[in-house]
Amino acid sequence: MEDIEDLLVGTGVGVPPGFRLPVPAAVGVNPKQRKKNGVTKLTVVQDSPAPKIPGTQTIYIKTFGCSHNQSDSEYMAGQLSAFGYSLSDNPDEADLWMINTCTVKSPSQSAMDTIISKGRSAKKPLVVAGCVPQGSRNLKELEGVSIVGVQQIDRVVEVVEETLKGHEVRLLTRKTLPALDLPKVRKNKFVEILPINVGCLGACTYCKTKHARGHLGSYTVDSLVGRVKNVIADGVREIWLSSEDTGAYGRDIGVNLPILLNAIVAELPLNGSTMLRIGMTNPPYILEHLKEIADVLCHPCVYSFLHVPVQSGSDSILSAMNREYTVGEFRKVVDTLMELVPGMQIATDIICGFPGETDEDFAQTVDLIKDYKLAQVHISQFYPRPGTPAARMKKVPSNVVKQRSRELTAVFESFTPYTGVEGKVERIWITDIASDGIHLVGHTKGYIQVLVIGPESMLGSSAMVKITSVGRWSVFGEVIEILCQNNEDVPSHRSFDERCSPCAISEEACACSKEQEPCSATPDCCNQSPTREATTLLKNEPNQDNHSSRNLIGWFLRNRKNQSSKKMDLTSSESKEKQIQDLGRRSAWSPVDIALLSGILLSLFTIVALFLNLGSRSLSSK
């Protein structure tokens, strides 16, 4: 089946973000084929009658892979929700399944195959998105299902509508990036995953993602800064910059990563209520900008954390991988950042058993990990991906690969990164609920995971905590003071001179943590992060404000609550006397309140009087 190109009606230009073209003109569809007596017949296949009204069905979305994939799922969920579709995390109650796939490793693709098989058995219409269909469009497992390409996520509504009618739709080829201002349903409303570019400049011999995401394509600085302004206004408290290689950003449009980072930091609130996390970057593309990136990482509104994958401690293996750097250059990146950035934490990746890896090569990798004792190391076995040069190389025996993976994992797990942290006071940013349902999850400036006990109203807040105990993958803390409530509205940084530079101020104002970061490669930590595990978009909760606004009493009560909350916008530095005064003012009734309440009471009395009058007439007639 051929790819379906974008078809525009009467014009050679693109459509506005979120605009849906008429379906017959916008989407090319192919009815499913059935063979009878050796003759192919084209028919529209529908397992069940499609509802007459589009946008009334329920969609189940399953996401595998990286944070970029998670962002794509959130954008697709936002568009579907905007057009009336319901989202559910229960596949049984859904009318259609959407699977956003990852092609990095064989296990994630196998998981996709399993879900497709289950969907077919349950007679569910299927839409497959992500890197697997984009990089391997002719897979047998994808026969008979609709496909959304990685740069066609803004067309998901059309694909879903046609698939629910029984059509098979494939949208794969496009030369422009999806808009950043599409509707979005975030998995975590306090975390915005912001893709800054797609594709990369590398040609790693083992990588299948390049086949799917393609060559580097960067969003403009202005469009990204505009998105940052919007999400901050929405109440987002963490912004994750995401891409296949953050360090390569802008090389295709004449800018670079430091230019973007400084522009974004200038828009972050002055009180540090919103934090920036820089995504994964390969060593070659940050070597020339190390000092500038270090300056940004020192900023109090930027996590002192960077993911720099090394993959191997052997130069010969790095050369076979075509990684375009040496172990010495990786060491230069790590050493420079750790020297210039207080409390700097580095995460890295290792592939065990790459073709041609000898015992000596592996020993060099172990030595590298021992030298730095990094608190976060993602260890994986080599998986040959179809169509890549590495898949044709002579493989290391599988038993050797497994043994090396176990050995390196044991070395890594022997580290105790949080020794000496207990008793320290740290600032954390709280954005999630732990898997135990009891603790809230926060992170320090160095991105250490801190578990605290507190009400859910603390989500989206920043607080000072005292570390009470430590574990292998996270630490536990006690809240001392809440610094930034999740409803505060504060000005932003407008220039570099206005920012709170840690190089010129005290450590307290800088809030630079000197602790190490927990490992998200372990099951205990992975379940907190959407970037490491297959995730599912949760069902949208109904908008209570819009629903109750139809009811006068509900609007009145909510208005009272909003007025009270505005008057209670106090910081921890305000005195108890002022709190008491404000509490007194809250109890005062405004003229509008009195008028509304009087109207409600008058209406009730009128209704009662009418009922009594009708009752008396009924009795007199008898």
Side-chain angles (χ1 to χ4, degrees):
M1 184 180 298
E2 299 297 327
D3 298 343
I4 308 300
E5 300 287 342
D6 285 349
L7 302 175
L8 304 180
V9 183
T11 177
V13 299
V15 297
F19 177 78
R20 181 173 56 166
L21 290 171
V23 171
V27 181
V29 299
N30 285 309
K32 295 183 180 179
Q33 300 182 3
R34 286 181 173 176
K35 289 187 177 181
K36 186 175 182 180
N37 298 327
V39 179
T40 299
K41 294 185 177 182
L42 297 180
T43 59
V44 174
V45 180
Q46 293 181 328
D47 294 321
S48 59
K52 295 181 180 180
I53 303 176
T56 60
Q57 298 88 347
T58 300
I59 311 297
Y60 166 72
I61 302 179
K62 185 72 173 180
T63 305
F64 294 95
C66 64
S67 59
H68 198 162
N69 255 23
Q70 180 62 47
S71 177
D72 286 350
S73 286
E74 292 175 356
Y75 272 125
M76 290 189 286
Q79 294 169 84
L80 291 169
S81 179
F83 278 102
Y85 291 97
S86 299
L87 306 176
S88 175
D89 60 350
N90 183 353
D92 294 332
E93 71 178 24
D95 300 299
L96 177 143
W97 292 6
M98 175 173 291
I99 308 161
N100 196 358
T101 61
C102 172
T103 191
V104 172
K105 300 177 184 178
S106 299
S108 58
Q109 185 165 329
S110 298
M112 176 204 74
D113 297 342
T114 300
I115 293 182
I116 289 178
S117 178
K118 289 181 178 178
R120 283 175 169 151
S121 299
K123 300 187 182 303
K124 301 288 186 179
L126 299 173
V127 175
V128 179
C131 293
V132 171
Q134 189 74 58
S136 305
R137 62 192 67 184
N138 295 319
L139 281 178
K140 182 179 179 181
E141 290 78 8
L142 297 177
E143 292 180 359
V145 303
S146 292
I147 291 175
V148 181
V150 294
Q151 293 188 30
Q152 294 276 11
I153 59 174
D154 55 351
R155 306 281 296 280
V156 66
V157 173
E158 305 161 37
V159 175
V160 165
E161 287 187 354
E162 291 301 316
T163 303
L164 285 167
K165 295 176 184 176
H167 299 152
E168 177 187 344
V169 185
R170 292 196 169 195
L171 293 176
L172 288 168
T173 304
R174 191 175 189 176
K175 297 180 180 179
T176 58
L177 299 176
L180 292 172
D181 58 354
L182 296 169
K184 197 171 191 179
V185 175
R186 299 185 187 91
K187 179 178 172 63
N188 184 331
K189 69 177 183 179
F190 296 112
V191 176
E192 166 71 7
I193 304 172
L194 179 60
I196 63 173
N197 57 265
V198 300
C200 69
L201 294 175
C204 300
T205 57
Y206 59 84
C207 182
K208 185 73 173 178
T209 305
K210 181 64 177 282
H211 295 188
R213 295 286 182 178
H215 198 68
L216 180 68
S218 302
Y219 287 96
T220 65
V221 173
D222 288 343
S223 64
L224 291 166
V225 169
R227 180 65 181 175
V228 167
K229 291 179 181 178
N230 291 336
V231 301
I232 290 175
D234 288 343
V236 162
R237 293 296 177 249
E238 282 189 7
I239 299 172
W240 298 359
L241 302 186
S242 177
S243 77
E244 283 64 57
D245 187 354
T246 303
Y249 168 79
R251 289 172 178 259
D252 57 320
I253 58 174
V255 294
N256 56 45
L257 182 60
I259 291 174
L260 173 65
L261 294 178
N262 282 300
I264 290 177
V265 167
E267 300 300 330
L268 300 178
L270 287 167
N271 66 346
S273 59
T274 301
M275 295 294 289
L276 179 70
R277 195 183 85 173
I278 304 174
M280 185 273 290
T281 178
N282 288 308
Y285 304 112
I286 60 170
L287 280 168
E288 61 188 87
H289 302 301
L290 279 178
K291 188 178 184 305
E292 295 94 329
I293 292 176
D295 288 341
V296 174
L297 289 167
C298 280
H299 190 277
C301 295
V302 181
Y303 285 119
S304 305
F305 167 79
L306 198 60
H307 180 192
V308 186
V310 63
Q311 306 298 4
S312 176
S314 165
D315 282 340
S316 63
I317 295 300
L318 291 178
S319 177
M321 292 177 172
N322 196 29
R323 289 290 289 171
E324 300 180 344
Y325 59 86
T326 65
V327 175
E329 289 172 327
F330 171 78
R331 287 181 180 272
K332 179 181 179 181
V333 170
V334 176
D335 293 342
T336 302
L337 292 178
M338 287 186 169
E339 176 186 354
L340 297 179
V341 183
M344 182 67 199
Q345 300 303 316
I346 302 288
T348 196
D349 301 342
I350 295 292
I351 297 176
C352 291
F354 187 83
E357 183 183 66
T358 64
D359 290 340
E360 182 180 355
D361 294 326
F362 177 68
Q364 292 174 4
T365 300
V366 174
D367 289 342
L368 179 67
I369 298 303
K370 286 182 176 179
D371 286 347
Y372 287 105
K373 291 183 171 57
L374 300 176
Q376 181 170 333
V377 180
H378 307 140
I379 302 169
S380 65
Q381 301 174 28
F382 170 74
Y383 293 101
R385 304 300 294 132
T388 62
R392 300 188 296 270
M393 299 179 183
K394 185 177 180 179
K395 300 176 181 60
V396 176
S398 59
N399 62 318
V400 176
V401 176
K402 292 178 181 178
Q403 175 57 35
R404 289 175 181 174
S405 177
R406 286 193 293 265
E407 181 181 339
L408 186 59
T409 299
V411 169
F412 163 66
E413 291 183 348
S414 69
F415 302 154
T416 55
Y418 305 128
T419 301
V421 174
E422 187 172 352
K424 289 190 175 183
V425 175
E426 296 278 356
R427 182 177 183 177
I428 66 170
W429 289 263
I430 303 170
T431 57
D432 209 348
I433 301 175
S435 57
D436 62 7
I438 300 173
H439 293 88
L440 303 179
V441 180
H443 292 91
T444 67
K445 176 72 161 60
Y447 216 65
I448 299 174
Q449 181 174 268
V450 182
L451 304 179
V452 298
I453 293 179
E456 290 189 19
S457 59
M458 288 178 60
L459 288 171
S461 298
S462 175
M464 298 301 296
V465 301
K466 181 178 181 180
I467 307 302
T468 56
S469 62
V470 301
R472 174 58 182 88
W473 314 114
S474 58
V475 302
F476 295 84
E478 178 182 346
V479 176
I480 298 174
E481 180 185 9
I482 298 179
L483 301 178
C484 299
Q485 296 287 353
N486 57 24
N487 62 347
E488 289 188 0
D489 185 15
V490 295
S492 303
H493 304 276
R494 291 301 171 189
S495 68
F496 189 88
D497 293 338
E498 290 183 71
R499 292 184 293 181
C500 180
S501 173
C503 301
I505 60 176
S506 67
E507 286 189 5
E508 181 179 359
C510 169
C512 286
S513 169
K514 291 181 169 54
E515 274 57 63
Q516 294 182 326
E517 165 189 344
C519 171
S520 65
T522 62
D524 290 341
C525 293
C526 285
N527 57 20
Q528 302 296 337
S529 171
T531 66
R532 302 298 302 170
E533 293 289 337
T535 54
T536 306
L537 287 176
L538 301 179
K539 183 176 181 179
N540 284 348
E541 295 183 1
N543 189 325
Q544 298 294 337
D545 286 344
N546 291 339
H547 177 72
S548 58
S549 64
R550 301 171 187 173
N551 183 286
L552 179 61
I553 298 176
W555 180 90
F556 169 72
L557 294 175
R558 191 169 61 258
N559 182 58
R560 288 284 300 162
K561 180 179 179 181
N562 290 339
Q563 288 183 1
S564 298
S565 63
K566 289 179 181 178
K567 294 177 182 180
M568 279 297 292
D569 188 21
L570 301 174
T571 64
S572 58
S573 62
E574 291 176 307
S575 65
K576 292 184 178 180
E577 180 180 354
K578 185 174 180 180
Q579 294 183 33
I580 294 172
Q581 292 173 354
D582 285 350
L583 285 169
R585 287 197 298 269
R586 286 174 57 220
S587 62
W589 290 77
S590 69
V592 176
D593 294 336
I594 295 172
L596 285 172
L597 185 58
S598 299
I600 293 171
L601 292 175
L602 181 59
S603 299
L604 290 174
F605 283 129
T606 303
I607 292 171
V608 171
L610 287 172
F611 275 112
L612 291 175
N613 186 32
L614 290 173
S616 63
R617 288 185 179 182
S618 176
L619 290 174
S620 62
S621 65
K622 292 180 180 179

